[in-house]
Amino acid sequence: MTVTYTLEVSKAKFWGFPKLLARWKGSIYRLIYREMLVFLIAYYALMLIYRVVLDEDSRKKFEAFALYCREMSSTVMITFVLGFYVTLVMGRWWQQYMNIPWPDRISMEISAYVHGTDERGRMIRRSMARYLNLLSLFTFQNTSTVIKRRFPTMEHLVDAGLMTPEEKIELDRTSTANGEWWLPAHWFTQLAVMARKEGRIHDDFHLKTLIDDLMAYRGMCGMIWSYDWISVPLVYTQVVTIAVYTFFVAALFGSQFLFGIEETSSLSVNYYCPLFTIFQFFFFVGWLKVAESMICPFGEDDDDFDVNWIIDRNIIVAYQIVDTLHKRVPILSRDAFWD
Amino acid sequence: MTVTYTLEVSKAKFWGFPKLLARWKGSIYRLIYREMLVFLIAYYALMLIYRVVLDEDSRKKFEAFALYCREMSSTVMITFVLGFYVTLVMGRWWQQYMNIPWPDRISMEISAYVHGTDERGRMIRRSMARYLNLLSLFTFQNTSTVIKRRFPTMEHLVDAGLMTPEEKIELDRTSTANGEWWLPAHWFTQLAVMARKEGRIHDDFHLKTLIDDLMAYRGMCGMIWSYDWISVPLVYTQVVTIAVYTFFVAALFGSQFLFGIEETSSLSVNYYCPLFTIFQFFFFVGWLKVAESMICPFGEDDDDFDVNWIIDRNIIVAYQIVDTLHKRVPILSRDAFWD
Amino acid sequence: MTVTYTLEVSKAKFWGFPKLLARWKGSIYRLIYREMLVFLIAYYALMLIYRVVLDEDSRKKFEAFALYCREMSSTVMITFVLGFYVTLVMGRWWQQYMNIPWPDRISMEISAYVHGTDERGRMIRRSMARYLNLLSLFTFQNTSTVIKRRFPTMEHLVDAGLMTPEEKIELDRTSTANGEWWLPAHWFTQLAVMARKEGRIHDDFHLKTLIDDLMAYRGMCGMIWSYDWISVPLVYTQVVTIAVYTFFVAALFGSQFLFGIEETSSLSVNYYCPLFTIFQFFFFVGWLKVAESMICPFGEDDDDFDVNWIIDRNIIVAYQIVDTLHKRVPILSRDAFWD
Amino acid sequence: MTVTYTLEVSKAKFWGFPKLLARWKGSIYRLIYREMLVFLIAYYALMLIYRVVLDEDSRKKFEAFALYCREMSSTVMITFVLGFYVTLVMGRWWQQYMNIPWPDRISMEISAYVHGTDERGRMIRRSMARYLNLLSLFTFQNTSTVIKRRFPTMEHLVDAGLMTPEEKIELDRTSTANGEWWLPAHWFTQLAVMARKEGRIHDDFHLKTLIDDLMAYRGMCGMIWSYDWISVPLVYTQVVTIAVYTFFVAALFGSQFLFGIEETSSLSVNYYCPLFTIFQFFFFVGWLKVAESMICPFGEDDDDFDVNWIIDRNIIVAYQIVDTLHKRVPILSRDAFWD
Amino acid sequence: MTVTYTLEVSKAKFWGFPKLLARWKGSIYRLIYREMLVFLIAYYALMLIYRVVLDEDSRKKFEAFALYCREMSSTVMITFVLGFYVTLVMGRWWQQYMNIPWPDRISMEISAYVHGTDERGRMIRRSMARYLNLLSLFTFQNTSTVIKRRFPTMEHLVDAGLMTPEEKIELDRTSTANGEWWLPAHWFTQLAVMARKEGRIHDDFHLKTLIDDLMAYRGMCGMIWSYDWISVPLVYTQVVTIAVYTFFVAALFGSQFLFGIEETSSLSVNYYCPLFTIFQFFFFVGWLKVAESMICPFGEDDDDFDVNWIIDRNIIVAYQIVDTLHKRVPILSRDAFWD
């Protein structure tokens, strides 16, 4: 459920980006309001304890500890590590988008190079298109929580008409311990060779084109697997998480208004509400949440890629191109600028 | 309406970059003068309130709050996050430029590989060129506010002579719920296959070249769609916007001249005008506006790519290459350095 | 033994990243607990010496030195250099993953282009597949401690059935001083030429495809060698290591509670435990360990790529594709969406 | 007039980089000495006014203003934005170098694939080579101040023998409002098709190779145009320029020795000369000048690419390869390591 | 003499990176011990002058100056500019490694596509291999101090048997003012065309493959030339060098123990030895030396690529592949996993 807003700010004008702050879907508020609540509750609980419960002596100790916490709040370090980390995660996020396999290209090539309008011809073309979609379905079944829920087993794919029972049988016969998601690619290849032998593909050349582009398609599916298999090293994520959360645990104490230390004459804003800390919370936890919501882009976050829509669209469009639109061109005519 | 200035500073000399400060079109002043005005009005309004309206007691509180605001003005954090964010946005901006599809390459190949100077030959070549342009028109119709306004509907394209009525009919027959912008690519492919069958393309090889390059062209259109569809995650934009604007809301208070605190003897510059804050405003809001004006590069900002010009140029040049200039080479002659 | 956790945080929700902190495998705790222990032992040993052993005069000197150490603890510098260094190492780490050669693509092409179901045909296809795997085995034998231990010599490869005795003989005959890991690539090429001559490959075109893709495969093995041969310049690693470790040697002194200087009235937390320094240790040493665990990704760290699994999987899958599944396609049938 | 110095520091030894400081050509001194002079003159003028002209009261105000200026001199911000900006400009600078089109590759292919040693054969090959060079000449005529001065009009190209009068005529006939710099590419393509028809190119395959590589060559010219057309957004350049220059305008005041504030007892160095500020000037303005001298790399700066030399070299080498050296190979003989 | 150490730290364990600090070859100590010595001598000389030679009055001035120097020691700026600069230099360093041309790929293709086991056939293949190596030799002769010393003139190449006298003659005949290093590429091309005409290459297709890959090989040599020709802009190197060295010139004064200012009671460590400054020296000068040792990677630094070994290896391997191993494949047999 991608959040698209670019056209809204297509012209940089007064009130451009700030206008975006009023959004809820895909917004920072939606992402961090729970953390914010917990933080504020903890903050005010601590305030109550400090101001009401503690005796003079414990207060002193509390204040000493709070002061100590204030010292350790260096933001430079966190800013930096977040900068590097988010850049890394966003790089992977975009790479994953770039590796979503779209069947348009190969479908058009199938439509161009695999001839024959008889039933067998149509079946070959449609099967090829289906293998393309199966390849990406097998991929997303294991890497996207959305698709996993929609098609938990291979049976579901057969029921949805995306795999024929014959294909299911063949799949079962070759299943190994190492995964067989690449099988539709092999079927496609062998089917193309068969079509070449039957003369439906006119030239070895076109056969090569089809297989080369299929291999690129398979490679993209492989990349999706890879990004799922090889996460950002856990250590890195932990380092960043510890840095950010430790900062705010320290801030729970450090941002309290300390009677013993601060001038009580001109009561600080801090007395009631740690405005500045709340802002920092927005900033740092928000930035971390940017990473969190993009580390797995095939999930259900507001900003995740809409895999369900993609799958549906691809199935329809692939069939359209290889079958319905096969051999259909608008009637040629002189255009408006003819001589 | 791209702002080109490179040649003006082609030689790094005294007064090189500073000279550019005198420009208005595409300048930082034009981008931020409205924000600046609002900021200054708010600043002086607050100053009036503080100096004239408030009584002694309220002033004390105001000063306490202002001091608090001063503390929270850490620029390191904003500098950083802006640096990372602007780098990200500029990367996308340039990638979008790189993916603007130009028909020159395929047009020259059409002119080279699709033979026949009879009317049908010309019609085939011209249709192919038109499909190229239609593909990018369909793309920009949805991703550029400029083109959207110029051609709001398909009818407008027919009226402008960019699509024949026959093509409009065919388009309507295949329209689906999932968009059919890729249709001209399919037409091109099928037309090429037809031309091969008629012998106008001499070799399967050349057919492959045409289709391969068309697919690359289609891929570029697809990228334009992608950059439109997948914006920079909203959360990131919000985090940056909040960081910058919060900073200046705080500065409204923090940069006031505080009678209770600052030495009144040697009246500070600050007394009349927050010079330093204005400079920071220029810098930070200016930097943010760099991002804002580039996040949608097919709009109407001074720095946006001139899609209208590109479209017009491409239509003319494509027809020229595939038709007017077909088979035209200068007469061969001995050159000046012959033996 | 890759640590995969992406799907667990596929939805950015409350308690997302923090949840990951509870993991042990591949975690920061596992990576740094030894260093942490040594640091704490040294810290408390020093504390004992300072508080118990030293006389008044030595204490003074100790305190002077400790204060000096405090001054030099600038974190900006370390944060930065770590940021740049880790980014560099992670770039190489991912590039190495991207260059792991998978035989799927070429296997499918062998299955498609090398015909003949007789024994010789099968032997040719299986040999080609074996050469692919040998190429990567020779590579990992020298670049991965895991594979080196599994197959210390060429004999081990013969024993495991991954190389035939005939190939071992040929290998011995051509061994030179400069390494001959590329030899299987040459065998593959010559075998392909032979198969073309025998007419088992139908077209020079397909021969080219096989050899081109093999060369890409060989290039990936070459890259693995290169990343092993050309380490991150030692100087860089040393600079970073010195920066981080010096910081903590200084912290051993600097983070002691100094009686002569600090207020003894309200006993600081520091009195018992240098909380803040421990956090910094987590952060900086943890970040450095990120680099350390990724600088050689074919080793035995929790986060290293599982080369053993990859090798096993590739051998099985390659044989499957070129032999067992050769010519096998599911029976064509009308799909669920057929008209 | 590229400044090459790498080999001089090929060995990192004592006095390596510092040695480079003694250079004048392409040096930082040459780039900023004018700015430095102006800065120093202004500085000493202000000093005179402050010390001699002003009365006690004005001095006080001057000092207040100077103190205010000192406060606002945060270098972190400038360091950062310069870092990001220079990285951006250097990326473009190198990309432009990478897109300088060299005709060697296509020339060798012309020499290999276009046969015929008769006059017409030679004329075809030489024309093809000339079209390559024309393509880059038309490009640099508009993007390089150096070439623009050397060949202000098309007539100059004819006079220099780089274009035949016949080509000039053809060019004039097709000139449009949208530029026709791509015309030589079209001529090349059509000439290649003609040569294929005459049988001078033996295979459609070789025709494709020539046209494909020409298209890549044309693409590189297109990129040169693009980098000229799409400058770094003016806003960005302005933001950086304002940041740096404002800093030094503030420094004019802030780095004055202030009698009223600073201890007059031990006269500071500052009394005579703002050493530190001068160093900062070197550093920041120098860094900005790095960007300024690279933003248009086809100009006349010491560090700009030597387009004139490139053009001359390319014309000679292209003719040599396609004509003089056509069919010339050294006599084959047994080499030194034969058996 | 590349320094390889990755396998040594393949497992991130206690004492991993620190262990590397004990190395001398390619180490930071070896790179900076001379600078360090000079710095320390200067430091202690200054100390002597300050403590022994100067009278009370000069001491005061010295102290004033030293204090001034302390103020200007901002490390943030240097840390940053070094970070950006080193990243830039390392990018170029790795790109240069990636462009080292290895003849393996084309050699294998020659062995596969150029048939004929008679003397002429062998001569053609061996000449092609030699031209590949000549191309890289001509390149490194001008870009690597190591190769320049080994083969100062063309005669040396003939003497070493790497060029035949016939080739030397041909080379002399075509030598121009613009360099003729690309000549072997032309010879290769023409020889390939000749072999095609003689029928030793069976298909135009294979001719294209050879020439295409040769062009890629030539392109890599061209890149090596480019990196040599177009250095990192001198200005940038100067800015960084000035920043680092000025810092330490200032530190010579600033890190002195100042009697007039610092507490003499508890004698600081600084009294004898500027520990902290020495550490900074290690860090900053070490980091700069990283850049210095990598700016020309074909030199004689410990970390430079071992061009001599590469050249020797390539000559032997190329001859092996095209000649000795031509047509040699292990005898086919059933593998261990057969059925």
Side-chain angles (χ1 to χ4, degrees), chain C residues 25-46:
Chain C
K25 215 190 130 203
S27 75
I28 185 179
Y29 322 119
R30 186 158 173 196
L31 273 176
I32 74 165
Y33 76 94
R34 280 164 307 222
E35 275 84 358
M36 183 61 97
L37 265 177
V38 171
F39 180 78
L40 287 179
I41 289 168
Y43 179 81
Y44 283 109
L46 260 179

Side-chain angles (χ1 to χ4, degrees), chain B residues 149-162:
Chain B
R149 202 165 44 230
R150 186 168 165 197
F151 303 112
T153 67
M154 291 295 170
E155 280 306 328
H156 285 82
L157 289 174
V158 179
D159 292 350
L162 302 172

Side-chain angles (χ1 to χ4, degrees), chain A residues 16-34:
Chain A
F17 274 9
K19 200 174 49 189
L20 295 175
L21 294 181
R23 290 197 166 206
W24 170 251
K25 215 190 130 202
S27 75
I28 185 178
Y29 322 120
R30 187 158 172 197
L31 273 176
I32 73 166
Y33 77 94
R34 280 165 306 222

Side-chain angles (χ1 to χ4, degrees), chain A residues 4-6 12-13 16 20 28 80 97 111 203 205 209 276 294 320 325 327-328 334-335 337 339, chain B residues 68 72 80 119 122 126 130 170 174 176 186 190 204-205 208 226 229 231-233 237-238 292 301:
Chain A
T4 305
Y5 64 90
T6 313
K13 49 177 174 289
L20 295 175
I28 185 178
F80 249 113
Y97 178 78
S111 203
D203 198 321
F205 215 77
T209 305
F276 186 20
M294 285 190 300
Q320 252 186 328
L325 295 173
K327 302 271 175 224
R328 251 173 59 191
R334 296 187 168 198
D335 58 88
F337 304 100
D339 282 357
Chain B
Y68 180 70
M72 69 181 277
F80 248 112
E119 173 156 348
R122 285 184 64 201
R126 286 179 75 97
R130 200 171 51 253
E170 179 67 22
T174 48
T176 68
H186 181 71
Q190 295 293 327
D204 276 346
F205 216 78
K208 175 183 160 67
S226 296
W229 189 36
S231 313
V232 176
T237 304
Q238 285 183 330
E292 202 170 329
D301 286 318

Side-chain angles (χ1 to χ4, degrees), chain C residues 38-297:
Chain C
V38 171
F39 180 78
L40 287 179
I41 289 168
Y43 179 81
Y44 283 109
L46 260 179
M47 188 195 269
L48 268 182
I49 292 171
Y50 166 54
R51 295 192 187 173
V52 181
V53 181
L54 296 186
D55 59 11
E56 190 64 19
D57 209 53
S58 311
R59 272 198 190 181
K60 275 268 154 64
K61 279 180 185 155
F62 185 96
E63 281 163 9
F65 184 71
L67 279 179
Y68 180 71
C69 285
R70 278 192 196 173
E71 265 169 59
M72 68 181 278
S73 305
S74 158
T75 59
V76 174
M77 209 160 80
I78 305 183
T79 313
F80 249 113
V81 79
L82 269 171
F84 280 111
Y85 182 75
V86 169
T87 301
L88 174 74
V89 171
M90 286 208 64
R92 288 174 60 100
W93 170 77
W94 187 248
Q95 279 310 309
Q96 290 186 65
Y97 179 78
M98 297 297 289
N99 280 297
I100 293 177
W102 302 89
D104 301 44
R105 183 185 176 124
I106 315 191
S107 299
M108 288 186 191
E109 290 171 352
I110 293 172
S111 203
Y113 298 143
V114 184
H115 300 273
T117 46
D118 54 335
E119 175 158 344
R120 184 164 172 83
R122 285 184 62 201
M123 260 182 354
I124 290 179
R125 281 198 302 277
R126 286 179 75 97
S127 297
M128 283 176 146
R130 200 170 51 253
Y131 295 159
L132 286 178
N133 283 315
L134 268 187
L135 203 53
S136 60
L137 272 165
F138 286 4
T139 303
F140 284 123
Q141 236 183 352
N142 285 281
T143 55
S144 160
T145 47
V146 178
I147 301 299
K148 193 177 255 161
R149 201 164 44 229
R150 185 168 164 198
F151 303 112
T153 67
M154 292 294 170
E155 280 307 327
H156 286 81
L157 289 174
V158 179
D159 292 351
L162 302 172
M163 184 156 56
T164 66
E166 288 80 10
E167 283 153 13
K168 177 74 172 53
I169 291 165
E170 180 67 21
L171 184 72
D172 290 340
R173 279 173 56 198
T174 48
S175 98
T176 68
N178 300 297
E180 58 287 327
W181 66 271
W182 42 267
L183 205 57
H186 182 71
W187 294 342
F188 183 107
T189 317
Q190 294 294 327
L191 191 56
V193 172
M194 194 194 289
R196 171 78 188 97
K197 223 168 250 168
E198 297 179 13
R200 288 169 191 280
I201 296 175
H202 291 171
D203 199 321
D204 276 346
F205 216 76
H206 296 329
L207 177 62
K208 174 182 161 66
T209 305
L210 285 175
I211 292 183
D212 279 0
D213 284 342
L214 175 79
M215 288 307 162
Y217 187 94
R218 198 204 62 89
M220 292 169 93
C221 292
M223 285 306 302
I224 303 275
W225 279 93
S226 297
Y227 278 107
D228 178 69
W229 188 36
I230 309 293
S231 313
V232 175
L234 180 60
V235 201
Y236 206 168
T237 304
Q238 285 185 330
V239 162
V240 178
T241 309
I242 287 177
V244 173
Y245 282 85
T246 308
F247 179 84
F248 286 105
V249 169
L252 277 181
F253 295 86
S255 62
Q256 297 286 351
F257 182 88
L258 303 178
F259 291 96
I261 284 88
E262 282 154 300
E263 290 176 56
T264 38
S265 60
S266 60
L267 280 176
S268 154
V269 216
N270 238 358
Y271 186 79
Y272 304 105
C273 171
L275 263 192
F276 186 20
T277 310
I278 285 173
F279 162 70
Q280 282 184 325
F281 198 91
F282 253 97
F283 184 73
F284 288 119
V285 178
W287 211 4
L288 184 63
K289 284 281 168 180
V290 172
E292 202 169 326
S293 76
M294 285 191 301
I295 210 168
C296 176

Side-chain angles (χ1 to χ4, degrees), chain B residues 114 128 134 191 266-267 301:
Chain B
V114 185
M128 282 175 147
L134 267 187
L191 191 56
S266 60
L267 279 177
D301 286 318

Side-chain angles (χ1 to χ4, degrees), chain E residues 5 13 33 37 48 61 79 87 106 108 136 166 212 218 220 227 252 267 292 295 300 326:
Chain E
Y5 64 90
K13 50 178 173 287
Y33 77 93
L37 265 178
L48 268 183
K61 278 178 186 157
T79 312
T87 300
I106 314 189
M108 288 187 193
S136 60
E166 288 79 11
D212 278 0
R218 198 204 63 88
M220 291 169 93
Y227 278 107
L252 277 182
L267 279 177
E292 202 170 327
I295 210 167
E300 288 155 278
H326 183 57

